[in-house]
Amino acid sequence: MDNDMEYERAIEQAKVNLADIRERGEDAIGGSWDDLEKELFTPEEIAASDLRVNMMIEIAHARKERGITQKKLEELSGVKQPIIARMEKGSTKPQLDTILKVLAPLGKTLYIGDLPTAKA
């Protein structure tokens, strides 16, 4: 299990490092970020990561928009402040029930809809 956790941490750190390179507009390892990303991750992994990032950005935005501190959100949701901080930072993969607990006091919920169709 430790190897699995170390592997997951290494993958997440690689994603952070590569995102930093991309944000600075630099090429990663002699090629473009898009090329490297496609080599390292499946389309499903990329989509899942993008979804997670967008969800965490939305949670942080909704909290700040309502003027709620992470500590106050802890009180309202029952989710510990350090977990909320890690969620907003993107350094954790929260479980669905944790996400739902955090969303409710923010007046948010998850929505299930159709995926955009890919153009061939």
Side-chain angles (χ1 to χ4, degrees):
M1 176 129 162
D2 286 333
N3 287 340
D4 289 339
M5 292 173 71
E6 287 177 31
Y7 175 76
E8 287 292 326
R9 277 191 223 118
I11 292 294
E12 290 303 317
Q13 186 59 50
K15 288 179 183 179
V16 169
N17 293 345
L18 292 171
D20 178 58
I21 289 169
R22 184 180 196 187
E23 185 174 293
R24 288 184 278 137
E26 298 177 11
D27 285 343
I29 312 172
S32 73
W33 160 250
D34 291 333
D35 293 341
L36 182 60
E37 183 179 50
K38 288 174 186 171
E39 285 181 35
L40 293 175
F41 307 107
T42 66
E44 292 81 12
E45 290 172 321
I46 293 168
S49 176
D50 289 347
L51 176 62
R52 233 181 355 265
V53 167
N54 290 333
M55 229 183 339
M56 296 311 111
I57 288 170
E58 182 61 31
I59 287 172
H61 177 74
R63 179 183 63 75
K64 291 173 187 174
E65 188 176 74
R66 286 165 179 71
I68 298 173
T69 65
Q70 289 179 349
K71 190 65 178 168
K72 182 64 177 177
L73 187 54
E74 173 185 14
E75 295 170 17
L76 297 170
S77 68
V79 176
K80 298 289 185 187
Q81 182 275 327
I83 294 171
I84 294 168
R86 286 194 300 269
M87 286 172 64
E88 290 184 4
K89 185 178 176 187
S91 62
T92 187
K93 292 182 182 178
Q95 294 186 356
L96 181 59
D97 63 333
T98 302
I99 294 169
L100 293 172
K101 286 178 185 177
V102 170
L103 287 173
L106 298 174
K108 301 281 185 181
T109 190
L110 290 179
Y111 169 77
I112 298 176
D114 294 329
L115 288 172
T117 55
K119 296 181 180 177

